[in-house]
């Protein structure tokens, strides 16, 4: 005969479960923050190899990337506009030039980063000369075709008093018309 736990035992079990959940969430947040710093270090190293400045993680850009990655995972599609247009999502972040890279189906950060490096449009975003800040996020949904969804926002952060010069409607600005065309094409096929 099995005994059912009393109310006090259930309460104690619930507290233990809650403590374990809080601990696991804490570890996940810490691991994600450490992982974001590793991602920024890899991007910075790549940029330095091309004669450009390093980038640092930025909480606002990370939040924008997280919203995009989670929206793609929830919808099960890779699309720049699934969380709203990039222009509307980046508008309050006080950026100059800004761009977004997305990916789906790659399992690791290294694999995703390599894919972006070998894609001309994504690589141009990684190597934006003015960029100094990034936000990177990954979201999973095992019920979708791709399972893993990545988003990177890379930008030049401006002091809050400056105007946002050069940001085109809908997202990234560019001095080079070819990059603008690549960004437009990537919007539909990347």
């Amino acid at each position: 005969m099995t005994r059912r736990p009393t109310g006090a035992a259930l309460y104690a079990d619930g507290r233990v479960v809650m403590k374990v959940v809080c601990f696991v969430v804490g570890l996940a947040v810490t691991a994600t923050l450490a992982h974001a710093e590793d991602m920024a270090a890899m991007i910075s190293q790549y940029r330095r190899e091309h004669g450009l400045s390093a980038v640092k993680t930025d909480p606002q850009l990370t939040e924008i990337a997280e919203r995009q990655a989670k929206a793609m995972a929830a919808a099960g599609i890779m699309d720049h506009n699934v969380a709203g247009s990039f222009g509307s999502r980046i508008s309050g972040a006080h950026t100059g030039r800004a761009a977004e890279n997305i990916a789906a189906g790659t399992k690791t950060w290294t694999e995703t980063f390599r894919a972006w490096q070998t894609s001309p449009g994504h690589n141009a975003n990684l190597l934006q000369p003015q960029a100094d800040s990034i936000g990177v996020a990954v979201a999973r949904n095992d019920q979708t075709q791709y399972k893993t969804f990545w988003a990177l926002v890379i930008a030049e952060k401006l002091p809050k008093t400056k105007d946002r010069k050069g940001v085109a409607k809908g997202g990234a600005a560019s001095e080079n018309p070819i990059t603008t065309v690549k960004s437009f094409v990537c919007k539909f096929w990347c």
Side-chain angles (χ1 to χ4, degrees):
M1 173 179 195
T2 355
R3 292 187 61 177
R4 300 189 113 188
T6 64
L10 285 174
Y11 176 75
D13 287 345
R15 285 191 359 217
V16 170
V17 169
M18 185 55 89
K19 285 180 182 180
V20 170
V21 167
C22 288
F23 178 72
V24 170
V25 168
L27 280 178
V29 168
T30 303
T32 300
L33 294 174
H35 198 57
E37 292 304 320
D38 292 343
M39 293 174 191
M42 285 179 73
I43 293 170
S44 292
Q45 178 61 36
Y46 182 63
R47 290 174 56 80
R48 282 192 291 274
E49 290 168 5
H50 289 83
L52 300 171
S53 63
V55 293
K56 63 183 182 305
T57 56
D58 177 82
Q60 275 187 309
L61 299 183
T62 299
E63 184 179 314
I64 293 166
E66 284 176 352
R67 190 173 332 131
Q68 176 65 16
K70 287 177 181 178
M72 289 189 302
I77 59 171
M78 183 177 69
D79 183 300
H80 283 281
N81 294 316
V82 73
S85 73
F86 182 64
S88 68
R89 290 184 285 117
I90 197 77
S91 66
H94 302 287
T95 63
R97 300 198 185 285
E100 175 180 70
N101 285 356
I102 59 173
T106 52
K107 294 179 180 151
T108 66
W109 162 246
T110 302
E111 184 182 353
T112 304
F113 187 50
R114 277 194 206 117
W116 287 338
Q117 289 171 309
T118 59
S119 163
H122 294 103
N123 193 54
N125 289 343
L126 292 169
L127 298 177
Q128 281 186 67
Q130 305 87 347
D132 58 11
S133 303
I134 64 162
V136 184
V138 61
R140 258 190 93 68
N141 182 346
D142 290 332
Q143 305 306 311
T144 65
Q145 172 188 355
Y146 297 113
K147 313 256 186 281
T148 307
F149 298 82
W150 299 85
L152 162 77
V153 177
I154 184 165
E156 168 195 24
K157 290 290 282 196
L158 299 175
K160 292 185 180 187
T161 57
K162 285 190 180 180
D163 288 337
R164 292 178 54 227
K165 295 179 185 174
V167 176
K169 284 183 184 176
S174 173
E175 296 170 355
N176 182 344
I178 293 172
T179 304
T180 303
V181 170
K182 286 179 185 175
S183 294
F184 177 78
V185 170
C186 183
K187 177 179 175 181
F188 297 100
W189 285 292
C190 296

